[in-house]
Amino acid sequence: MPKRRTLRLLLFSLAAAALVLSIRFGFADALETQYAWPASARAAAPGPAAAVPKAPQPEAAPLQPKPIVLSQRVTEYHISVVLEPDDTLTGQQTVTWKNPGRQAVTDLYFHLYPNAFSPGSTFLKESGGKLRSDKMEPGAYGSMELSSLTTEQGETLLPRLHYVQPDDGNKQDRTLATLRLPEAVKPGGSVTLKMSFKVKLPRVFARMGTAGDFVMAGQWFPKVAVYETIGMRGRTAEGWNLHQYHGNSEFYSDFGIYSVRIDVPETYTVAATGFQTKPAAVSKGRKIYQYYADDVHDFGWAASPHFVYYEDSLSAPGIPGVRIRLYLDPLHKDLRDRYMHAAKSSLTKLAAWYGEYPYSTLSVVIPPADGNGAGGMEYPTLVTGAAAKDASPGYDLERTVVHEIAHQYWYGMVASNEFEEAWLDEGFTSYSEDKLMSAIYGVSPNTPVEASYLTAPEPLYRYSWHYGSHDGYADNVYLRAKLVLTALERQVGDKTMNKIMRAYFQKYRFKHPSTGEFQKVVESVTKAKWDDFFAAYVYRGEMADFSIESIDSHKNDQGGYRTLILLKRNGGSPQAVTLLFGYADGSTVRKRWDGTQTHVQLQLDSASPLTYAAVDPGVAVVLDNRRYNNFLKAEVPSKDRVKWTAGIAQALESFFSTFAW
């Protein structure tokens, strides 16, 4: 989910920078990271004209499965679910799990995510009932109960089921359950279980629930945990990857097949992962949808009697043929061109940059204004945009859609472990989001201001719930992570970075890669070692910090000036930087420092006195978040000081001009 940026951040950051600079230079008078869309331009989407969507249709036309197998298909789900009048889901599920390992497996584990919304859960304790700008209403709890659990032969296993809390020992948390199987599952073998369950949907919050008659069903069924084999994500011994549902964490599951029957009131329209295999059947005031999806690792759906539906097709290089489906809130029914343009343009770019989008559908759901908790979320072949609160929204409309569609690659197909390495999901998506917004809409990020916001960096390779707060989690796995990728791009160049990202996607699509495996791809493409870079920015959580520590200038015996300048690299990995020296006669000199040492002293001899020194004047070091120490004036004789005032003011003006779009 995208992290919102605000105008207040920009104003605060620039004001703080100006204040510190004025103090450091000794004169105060020398002196919308928000992606705004002018009101006059909001009526139509910018960029290339998109094809006009087809007229609204009552239902999506059915499709048929493709015979191509893209993943291991470890799991297979057959689910029938009914949306009841009291905002509950009653379901029956037959799930088959195939043992991908080399050892017999005696126990099976399930994620029961709706129990995160029950009193005492770890999720509610850690989040405080808040996520982004949404807050859980008092008493608006959710839950999941299993009413039956049997083998294919009908043997009940429900008495064997018990809840486990491997992360924090919280006995009130019921988001992870296990049972001992009647017989061990041999390597390559499988087990099939049948179960009935009931979900009490909470008031929409944190990706699932209801808002009036709008329903968001995310993480709504008992889901088998991931069994990791030797070598997978660097494992030396196979076994289950087990975590509870935490305040910061999202999800992790295996690829498989889903066949899902969804029963809703007759007036409702359903949007879901995958595609309909036959037209919806209407009987006795109810409507029944049948959906199918393969080579996906999750299944989400939404329903509402108010959706305004549009559909159009897309074919492009890397996109054999996709139906783009919009399920809009009525407030945004006239914005279909903007939504369709964002969806088509971003999917086309992603396919060209990284590789084929192999699915036949992509659905975009826009929740109502009071359903904000369901907005900005990704599911395989289905995304939710920001809630429809404004009839004429700015670029947040496009930015949210673009971000979530980028998740179809970084999460949907390259399925990272969001419990343990969330940056591989959110950071890669945020990086791609910036690329897409720049390529499609001409909107580029202001990385110096974004870096200045990161005052409490933490390691990227970290369990999601180990961050100090939700803000700390978001600042690092979204913002700092994408800046780390941008910093890598600055060092290797655009073309090489494109090769890295494409190679990573191609190698690990329909797999579960790790941070170490991404580093190996970087090293394979660049033919160089990146241990220092990953150690500093990924594993230690550092930022870069180049500074001019001191300047000592005095006249020499020949009537000129000798100046000693102390440079420091206070954090981050070695990196070459540009140095700029300004003199009282108006001349400037540029030099290059390789940045391999933590500090170095330079000696400069000149006819004119040095007035100031600057490191990285072009703001090329993306991760430097302390730019106030990048400039320092020289101490020069009083009779020469008047000469440098205009020059340093001009240098500052040039510096601040880099913050403009």
Side-chain angles (χ1 to χ4, degrees), residues 495-511:
K495 290 184 179 180
T496 300
M497 190 63 181
N498 290 342
K499 290 179 181 179
I500 289 171
M501 298 294 282
R502 186 176 181 88
Y504 178 60
F505 174 78
Q506 292 291 335
K507 185 175 179 65
Y508 291 108
R509 70 182 198 137
F510 303 108
K511 297 177 183 177

Side-chain angles (χ1 to χ4, degrees), residues 378-435:
E378 69 279 359
Y379 306 89
T381 78
L382 182 146
V383 302
T384 63
K389 296 182 177 181
D390 186 347
S392 184
Y395 265 130
D396 275 355
L397 182 154
E398 283 80 7
R399 181 169 290 281
T400 305
V401 171
V402 163
H403 180 96
E404 303 309 336
I405 290 178
H407 269 304
Q408 296 301 309
Y409 281 72
W410 315 120
Y411 151 85
M413 287 182 273
V414 177
S416 307
N417 185 334
E418 294 183 280
F419 291 117
E420 299 181 5
E421 299 178 87
W423 85 282
L424 293 176
D425 168 47
E426 297 296 353
F428 279 59
T429 298
S430 297
Y431 171 84
S432 298
E433 169 200 324
D434 280 352
K435 290 288 187 184

Side-chain angles (χ1 to χ4, degrees), residues 625-640:
N625 65 334
R626 297 179 179 178
R627 295 197 174 275
Y628 59 82
N629 61 14
N630 286 29
F631 292 79
L632 189 63
K633 70 180 181 67
E635 291 296 333
V636 297
S638 58
K639 65 180 181 179
D640 295 322

Side-chain angles (χ1 to χ4, degrees), residues 43 152 200 249 315 317 329 340 348 358 360 476 491 578 591-592:
E152 282 187 290
K200 177 67 177 73
S249 67
S315 293
D329 181 81
M340 191 64 75
T348 299
S360 58
N476 283 277
Q491 293 191 41
T578 298
K591 291 183 178 293
R592 209 60 182 153

